[in-house]
Amino acid sequence: MTSLFTGYSLAGLALPNRVVMAPMSRVRAAAGGLATPSMAAYYAQRASAGLIVSEGVQPSRIGQSNPGTPGLHTDEQVASWRPVTAAVHANGGRIFAQIMHGGRVSHPDTTGMQPIGPSAVPAVGDVFTPAGPQPAPTPRALETAEVPEQAESYARAARRAVEAGFDGVELHGANGYLISQFLSSNANLRTDRYGGPVANRIRFAVEAVAATVDAVGAARTGIRLSPGGSFWGVQESGTIELYTALLAELARLEVAYVHLEATAEEEALLTLRRAWRGALIVNPTLPMGPKQTGRDDADHWLGQGADLISFGRAFIANPDLVERLRGGLPIAPVDETTYYQGGDAGYLTYPAHQYAA
């Protein structure tokens, strides 16, 4: 069986192992969406991962979901990311930027703008704002002529990511954010070419990916998906048909990888694996669910045909997670209260495993 610790060529990028650090929001960016020296240290500590996927990075001001998150839409932001990517590379790592457009999962108190979405349907739940959680507002439905501009925003951010030294980008097509909203059958009530039948609901995702491939190349472009997921109240009708159609288009574009979350039953995910013959990253446990991904989960999915396995929360408290997994060492617990509190506590303060003298 394939080992978690054997190398892998990801669209020509040589990975020393098959452990991926999953994207996780940590809301430590400085004012103006700037990356910081602490962020450089955080990612560099975890550079032994085969691949790091950064926290979600907004491609535009209107695409920002949460306060305290970084961007890739100004020259200053690009400059702030260069020390981060340089630190990861200096430690022997590889890093993709996750480009995340929040769509309706945002708030005017965060961006100064009314959120946008495929339809005027609010997300379910409270969104983060500078003043604390507030009910998700009703977004402004995009006019048909406006939709391509939002798809192109991913490509513009991808160009800036490459300028900043990232090895590639991952479009966030999961978890109820903008691409996921267009895929949805209850957040997307459109009757134009972007809504209704499967071929129309996948159109925005395909256009965003195609624009990104044109901008930085297919070898530098991946996408994360959450088939059947219900984050922020999204629902999807005909999930298998929807994602099979989307994967066929992604195959035509020859993207570097697809990153699937375990938001559907295993048999459904295996059906999608059979439909997608390219590189596949699997996140084996539900994001923010009750269980963290462990070695057994990784081995199981490698045996089921995944090429790479992404670990989320385990990487927060274990900067040396690859070595802990390799040596069967204890996985340190994470302090959930420090996920989003800011500062270096619970961010840079987790040590590597201490061997007994």
Side-chain angles (χ1 to χ4, degrees), residues 219-245:
R220 285 175 158 164
T221 304
I223 187 169
R224 195 177 207 211
L225 302 170
S226 54
S230 57
F231 302 96
W232 299 107
V234 299
Q235 296 176 8
E236 297 166 352
S237 61
T239 296
I240 295 297
E241 179 190 3
L242 178 72
Y243 283 92
T244 299

Side-chain angles (χ1 to χ4, degrees), residues 33 54-60 63 69-73 77 81 97-101 157 166:
S54 81
E55 62 210 276
V57 183
Q58 61 257 17
S60 61
T69 53
L72 269 170
H73 51 92
Q77 290 166 351
W81 276 111
Q98 189 192 64
I99 303 175
M100 172 182 154
H101 191 312
F166 284 97

Side-chain angles (χ1 to χ4, degrees), residues 180-199:
S180 174
Q181 291 159 31
F182 272 93
L183 294 172
S184 168
S185 50
N186 69 338
N188 181 354
L189 306 179
R190 304 177 73 93
T191 56
D192 64 359
R193 63 197 297 267
Y194 292 99
V198 162

Side-chain angles (χ1 to χ4, degrees), residues 160-176:
R160 289 186 175 274
V162 172
E163 290 173 15
F166 284 97
D167 298 293
V169 297
E170 175 182 283
L171 276 63
H172 198 344
N175 296 5

Side-chain angles (χ1 to χ4, degrees), residues 18-350:
R18 296 170 186 247
V19 178
V20 175
M21 178 175 165
M24 292 174 285
S25 294
R26 303 304 308 277
V27 295
R28 260 71 172 188
L34 302 181
T36 67
S38 289
M39 291 166 65
Y42 171 76
Y43 286 114
Q45 286 177 348
R46 291 154 178 81
S48 59
L51 177 67
I52 293 172
V53 183
S54 81
E55 62 210 276
V57 183
Q58 61 257 17
S60 61
R61 186 158 64 94
I62 202 167
Q64 182 175 5
S65 180
N66 300 322
T69 53
L72 269 170
H73 51 92
T74 70
D75 291 343
E76 293 77 16
Q77 290 166 351
V78 170
S80 74
W81 276 111
R82 288 189 179 118
V84 179
T85 59
V88 170
H89 292 148
N91 276 16
R94 296 133 301 274
I95 183 167
F96 274 38
Q98 189 192 64
I99 303 175
M100 172 182 154
H101 191 312
R104 68 178 186 169
V105 185
S106 185
H107 197 280
D109 287 0
T110 298
T111 65
M113 309 169 77
Q114 182 183 7
I116 55 175
S119 301
V121 179
V124 174
D126 291 346
V127 295
F128 295 105
T129 78
Q134 296 191 51
T138 299
R140 179 180 68 82
L142 289 162
E143 299 290 340
T144 302
E146 295 178 293
V147 177
E149 165 70 14
Q150 299 306 316
E152 182 65 31
S153 72
Y154 292 89
R156 289 195 299 271
R159 289 189 194 95
R160 289 186 175 274
V162 172
E163 290 173 15
F166 284 97
D167 298 293
V169 297
E170 175 182 283
L171 276 63
H172 198 344
N175 296 5
Y177 298 109
L178 186 61
I179 290 174
S180 174
Q181 291 159 31
F182 272 93
L183 294 172
S184 168
S185 50
N186 69 338
N188 181 354
L189 306 179
R190 304 177 73 93
T191 56
D192 64 359
R193 63 197 297 267
Y194 292 99
V198 162
N200 288 353
R201 281 191 284 139
I202 69 171
R203 192 183 306 277
F204 180 77
V206 173
E207 289 184 356
V209 173
T212 304
V213 167
D214 285 345
V216 299
R220 285 175 158 164
T221 304
I223 187 169
R224 195 177 207 211
L225 302 170
S226 54
S230 57
F231 302 96
W232 299 107
V234 299
Q235 296 176 8
E236 297 166 352
S237 61
T239 296
I240 295 297
E241 179 190 3
L242 178 72
Y243 283 92
T244 299
L246 177 56
L247 292 174
E249 292 298 313
L250 297 175
R252 181 179 60 81
L253 294 168
E254 300 181 327
V255 298
Y257 68 81
V258 167
H259 187 176
L260 285 184
E261 298 179 7
T263 44
E265 294 296 325
E266 183 168 312
E267 186 51 46
L269 297 178
L270 292 175
T271 298
L272 298 180
R273 163 76 279 189
R274 290 189 288 270
W276 171 253
R277 301 316 306 164
L280 180 68
I281 304 174
V282 170
N283 194 169
T285 55
L286 186 68
M288 302 306 291
K291 183 178 184 294
Q292 291 187 30
T293 299
R295 176 70 186 274
D296 289 346
D297 304 301
D299 289 342
H300 173 74
W301 272 103
L302 288 173
Q304 296 284 35
D307 298 298
L308 303 155
I309 305 296
S310 65
F311 295 77
R313 286 165 287 177
F315 256 117
I316 293 178
N318 300 272
D320 57 340
L321 180 64
V322 174
E323 291 311 312
R324 291 183 189 241
L325 292 169
R326 192 193 310 271
L329 302 171
I331 304 299
V334 63
D335 179 1
E336 296 183 9
T337 65
T338 65
Y339 279 174
Y340 314 120
Q341 73 173 13
D344 289 346
Y347 191 59
L348 302 182
T349 52
Y350 291 109

